[in-house]
Amino acid sequence: MTKERIILGIDPGTTIMGFGLIKVVGKSMQFLQLNELDLKKYDDHYLKLKLIFERTIELIDTHNPDEIAIEAPFFGKNVQSMLKLGRAQGVAMAAGLSREIPITEYLPKKIKMAITGNGNASKEQVARMLQSMLGLKTLPKNLDATDGLAAAVCHFYNSGKVSVGKSYTGWDAFVKQNPNKLG
């Protein structure tokens, strides 16, 4: 009997958090869902973080993913933006870790490379390639949702390879792998 697994992909953000789910059966993947959490109407950064955590928990409890793939923040020039993005990623990761779901981080270039073969592909190119691969009828207005789905598909393509990025199986593993980040 072929084992099924569900992968939740997350593109963290404090304006829009995109996410997508795929089901893997053997060596094939099947599209389940993509959507976004729109946080534009909220001014309070801490409320946004709370909503990201709660939505991630809700996705986990509803879909029971076996693994989570999350886009890692890239290094930008704006320190405040990086801080906010890192916090958004952190609370999404904390939600997964609280449910003991293995998490793997992927750099944006690695995700784009896995989907399009080009690490510098645009969001639109990634979305169109996913549409073709998974038979999506339409694409969302904002492409954060397809970015989340792309993280899940990237994880599918990288499953079983020796080096996939940073992976955490729980709080203990996170602490051991990040001793300098915690004080």
Side-chain angles (χ1 to χ4, degrees):
M1 176 141 185
T2 306
K3 184 181 178 332
E4 288 185 8
R5 62 190 172 112
I6 293 175
I7 303 170
L8 168 61
I10 298 174
D11 176 26
T14 56
T15 305
I16 297 174
M17 178 183 90
F19 57 89
L21 290 133
I22 59 171
K23 183 186 341 187
V24 177
V25 182
K27 294 185 187 286
S28 66
M29 67 177 150
Q30 176 184 1
F31 169 74
L32 292 178
Q33 179 187 0
L34 81 156
N35 208 332
E36 60 193 33
L37 172 62
D38 188 345
L39 299 160
K40 287 188 233 98
K41 63 184 172 200
Y42 304 103
D43 292 329
D44 184 338
H45 182 66
Y46 299 106
L47 174 60
K48 290 180 179 189
L49 295 176
K50 177 180 182 282
L51 294 170
I52 291 167
F53 184 85
E54 289 173 350
R55 182 65 173 125
T56 305
I57 289 289
E58 182 184 324
L59 287 166
I60 291 167
D61 291 349
T62 302
H63 299 283
N64 300 307
D66 299 286
E67 299 162 56
I68 295 174
I70 191 163
E71 187 173 306
F74 56 92
F75 297 101
K77 292 179 183 158
N78 186 325
V79 176
Q80 283 302 313
S81 294
M82 282 296 302
L83 181 61
K84 287 178 180 177
L85 189 58
R87 287 175 174 170
Q89 183 202 31
V91 295
M93 290 173 72
L97 292 168
S98 75
R99 295 291 199 260
E100 298 186 7
I101 299 170
I103 297 169
T104 305
E105 294 179 75
Y106 293 96
L107 292 172
K109 280 187 179 281
K110 177 134 182 155
I111 294 171
K112 291 173 181 181
M113 180 63 87
I115 305 304
T116 68
N118 175 1
N120 295 314
S122 68
K123 282 178 168 279
E124 292 77 15
Q125 289 170 315
V126 170
R128 284 195 299 275
M129 186 61 87
L130 287 170
Q131 186 175 26
S132 173
M133 281 177 176
L134 297 169
L136 306 177
K137 290 181 178 35
T138 59
L139 289 173
K141 181 179 59 151
N142 297 312
L143 298 181
D144 300 272
T146 49
D147 285 351
L149 182 62
V153 173
C154 173
H155 187 66
F156 165 73
Y157 285 139
N158 283 280
S159 293
K161 292 187 179 175
V162 177
S163 175
V164 295
K166 287 190 176 182
S167 295
Y168 310 111
T169 54
W171 283 114
D172 290 341
F174 180 84
V175 171
K176 282 179 189 161
Q177 291 181 40
N178 295 281
N180 298 331
K181 293 183 181 176
L182 299 171

